[in-house]
């Protein structure tokens, strides 16, 4: 495979007749989908909010930023599919951004109860199975390790298997799902829960095997004609503004 870094419109020159895949950010990706014939798979914005609480371990609501501005309690608030503002615990709605690029009253958000994850894992899923995985955080701090070397591997696989058996049809065939072990701060008891779902083509692999991660990325961001019929409902809409060189004055 040839690899090109997108540094400007000229990078796309010569790709019109070639099979193209993508690994990078969502906003630029939307601008080049028409010209490159890319089809980008992504989980639904409200997928996490639609999960039963047995898989989330907390109450989660799919809403808008204007509703989040009304919060009078601490909550974890994040954009579901991009980085239009930082995902974080906000003391109340007044701390959330009100201005900025791609920020406005109708900006989609997920509003979640605040919980403490003792350990977190990133899992690259292909055809409802774990193709690659990695631990990426312990007590909120970056701490990477291959899944096969982690003491919780068996528990992670068991939880993900149950999750996919129950809700797998709500996700595309290639997707990234983060899960973690939630600890009750008082009792110390733990339960496994989903952190979030993301696009493989915009997800760090951490300590997961890159070759296995690539298999998932290629399925999730490749030619439109190769999209499986069951995945068509998970396609990211194109922006209809392909990246082009500026016109001469």
């Amino acid at each position: 495979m040839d690899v090109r870094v997108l540094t400007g419109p000229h990078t796309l020159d010569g790709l019109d007749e070639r099979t193209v895949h993508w690994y990078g950010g969502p906003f630029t990706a939307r601008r080049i989908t028409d010209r490159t014939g890319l089809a980008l798979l992504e989980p639904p914005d409200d997928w996490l909010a639609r999960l039963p609480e047995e898989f989330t371990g907390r109450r989660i609501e799919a809403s808008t930023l204007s509703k989040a501005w009304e919060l009078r309690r601490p909550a974890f608030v994040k954009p579901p599919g991009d980085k239009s503002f930082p995902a974080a615990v906000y003391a109340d709605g007044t701390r959330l951004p009100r201005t900025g690029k791609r920020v406005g009253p109708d900006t989609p958000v997920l509003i979640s109860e605040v919980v403490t994850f003792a350990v977190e894992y990133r899992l690259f899923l292909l055809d409802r199975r774990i193709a690659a995985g990695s631990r990426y955080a312990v007590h909120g701090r970056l701490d990477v390790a291959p899944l096969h070397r982690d003491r919780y591997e068996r528990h992670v696989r068991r939880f993900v298997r149950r999750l996919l058996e129950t809700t797998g049809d709500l996700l595309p065939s290639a997707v990234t799902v983060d899960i973690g072990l939630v600890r009750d701060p008082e009792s110390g008891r733990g339960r496994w829960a989903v952190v979030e779902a993301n696009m493989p083509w915009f997800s760090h692999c951490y300590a997961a095997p890159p070759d296995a991660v690539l298999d998932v990325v290629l399925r999730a961001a490749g030619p439109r004609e190769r999209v499986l019929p069951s995945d068509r409902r998970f396609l990211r809409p194109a922006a209809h503004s392909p990246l082009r060189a500026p016109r001469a004055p």
Side-chain angles (χ1 to χ4, degrees):
M1 299 178 68
D2 293 331
V3 178
R4 299 190 184 185
V5 178
L6 182 61
T7 56
H10 65 279
T11 310
L12 301 181
D13 294 342
L15 295 182
D16 293 339
E17 302 299 325
R18 302 190 65 178
T19 298
V20 176
H21 297 267
W22 172 258
Y23 182 81
F27 299 116
T28 300
R30 287 189 67 192
R31 296 176 60 198
I32 68 172
T33 51
D34 284 347
R35 179 170 175 183
T36 59
L38 274 173
L40 304 173
L41 301 183
E42 64 177 353
D45 286 351
D46 63 349
W47 176 75
L48 194 59
R50 292 164 60 190
L51 288 181
E53 195 167 327
E54 67 174 293
F55 294 117
T56 63
R58 62 207 186 276
R59 291 191 297 273
I60 302 171
E61 175 187 2
S63 188
T64 60
L65 193 52
S66 62
K67 292 293 184 181
W69 288 337
E70 300 173 2
L71 289 170
R72 295 297 177 263
R73 56 176 172 80
F76 181 82
V77 184
K78 73 178 294 289
D82 57 44
K83 308 294 183 183
S84 54
F85 66 87
V89 175
Y90 292 87
D92 56 52
T94 65
R95 309 298 179 91
L96 285 159
R98 292 176 179 266
T99 60
K101 192 175 182 180
R102 297 181 293 272
V103 170
D106 297 328
T107 299
V109 297
L110 294 175
I111 303 172
S112 170
E113 284 186 294
V114 179
V115 295
T116 301
F117 282 97
V119 59
E120 298 168 72
Y121 301 85
R122 172 149 299 166
L123 306 167
F124 289 82
L125 308 181
L126 187 63
D127 294 326
R128 299 190 190 182
R129 64 176 182 84
I130 298 176
S134 170
R135 187 184 74 212
Y136 65 87
V138 175
H139 298 300
R141 295 182 179 274
L142 185 66
D143 189 345
V144 304
L147 179 62
H148 70 273
R149 296 182 185 174
D150 191 87
R151 61 173 176 154
Y152 289 121
E153 179 190 9
R154 178 169 54 89
H155 301 279
V156 168
R157 292 186 179 279
R158 180 188 302 161
F159 176 80
V160 172
R161 183 166 55 250
R162 185 162 57 89
L163 172 70
L164 296 178
E165 287 173 352
T166 306
T167 66
D169 60 336
L170 301 178
L171 290 171
S173 66
V175 68
T176 302
V177 172
D178 295 350
I179 73 165
L181 182 62
V182 178
R183 289 287 187 195
D184 185 298
E186 296 182 2
S187 67
R189 294 176 181 173
R191 63 180 297 184
W192 291 95
V194 175
V195 178
E196 61 183 0
N198 283 302
M199 305 86 82
W201 43 271
F202 191 41
S203 297
H204 199 297
C205 69
Y206 296 112
D211 55 343
V213 169
L214 182 59
D215 289 339
V216 185
V217 173
L218 295 180
R219 171 78 66 83
R224 184 169 293 272
E225 62 270 17
R226 296 185 184 179
V227 175
L228 300 174
S230 58
D231 278 333
R232 287 173 185 162
R233 60 192 173 114
F234 299 111
L235 286 174
R236 185 180 185 89
H240 302 296
S241 57
L243 191 64
R244 300 187 186 277
R247 293 182 179 178

